[in-house]
Amino acid sequence: MGGAAAATAATIQLWSPWAESPDAIATYTLPSGAECELRLGNVNGSDPEAVRAVRDLYRAASIDALLTQETIDETIAQLRTEESTWMNDDGSTEAAGYGTVHYSADSEYDSAVNRILTNTLSSELARQGIDGSESNLRYDGEGNCPGADW
């Protein structure tokens, strides 16, 4: 009985209270085949219009349309041009990312998804003339990717 309970608990995601009713949910499959669910929300800030703009974007956006394979591939190509470092337990650093021993296709894909969603939000705020830093905007994402190869 204890083993079955432990196995069940390991497969159930316990979401933060805000993520129980998120503004948006993105689902996608990592290169390893692991299925991911990313919940977006918990939007706060000092400017009600900025908060509304973020919530409206999350609620209205077609996340699947944003996360096309072409866009993912383009974003991964961009990520591979950027410097990435790995911090060792002793505090030293070394190169990380594509082509290194620290590379993870799942991690790279997940980073691309997050970059696409962040860039989409930034573009929408700019289109509306909203400066997120002046609005003290804060929003969260919480994900679950059981079986991912991080």
Side-chain angles (χ1 to χ4, degrees), residues 34-58:
E35 297 288 328
C36 293
E37 181 176 331
L38 174 63
R39 294 183 178 197
L40 304 165
N42 199 28
V43 184
N44 294 291
S46 58
D47 178 359
E49 286 302 308
V51 170
R52 180 200 50 75
V54 173
R55 284 193 177 133
D56 287 352
L57 174 68
Y58 282 157

Side-chain angles (χ1 to χ4, degrees), residues 93-112:
T93 60
E94 55 190 84
Y98 186 71
T100 71
V101 297
H102 302 293
Y103 174 74
S104 161
D106 282 0
S107 182
E108 180 179 65
Y109 194 99
D110 193 63
S111 293

Side-chain angles (χ1 to χ4, degrees), residues 25-26 35 60-61 76-77 80 89 92-93 100 103 105 127 130 132 135:
I25 296 175
E35 297 288 328
I76 286 173
R80 288 182 181 178
D89 291 338
S92 64
T93 60
T100 71
Y103 174 74
R127 187 188 71 74
I130 297 171
S135 305

Side-chain angles (χ1 to χ4, degrees), residues 60-114:
S62 172
I63 304 265
D64 290 340
L66 295 173
L67 301 179
T68 65
Q69 193 58 54
E70 180 180 353
T71 305
I72 295 283
D73 291 345
E74 289 171 359
T75 306
I76 286 173
Q78 174 60 41
L79 289 170
R80 288 182 181 178
T81 69
E82 299 171 4
E83 186 176 334
S84 181
T85 57
W86 176 270
M87 183 173 289
N88 296 307
D89 291 338
D90 66 2
S92 64
T93 60
E94 55 190 84
Y98 186 71
T100 71
V101 297
H102 302 293
Y103 174 74
S104 161
D106 282 0
S107 182
E108 180 179 65
Y109 194 99
D110 193 63
S111 293
V113 166
N114 283 290

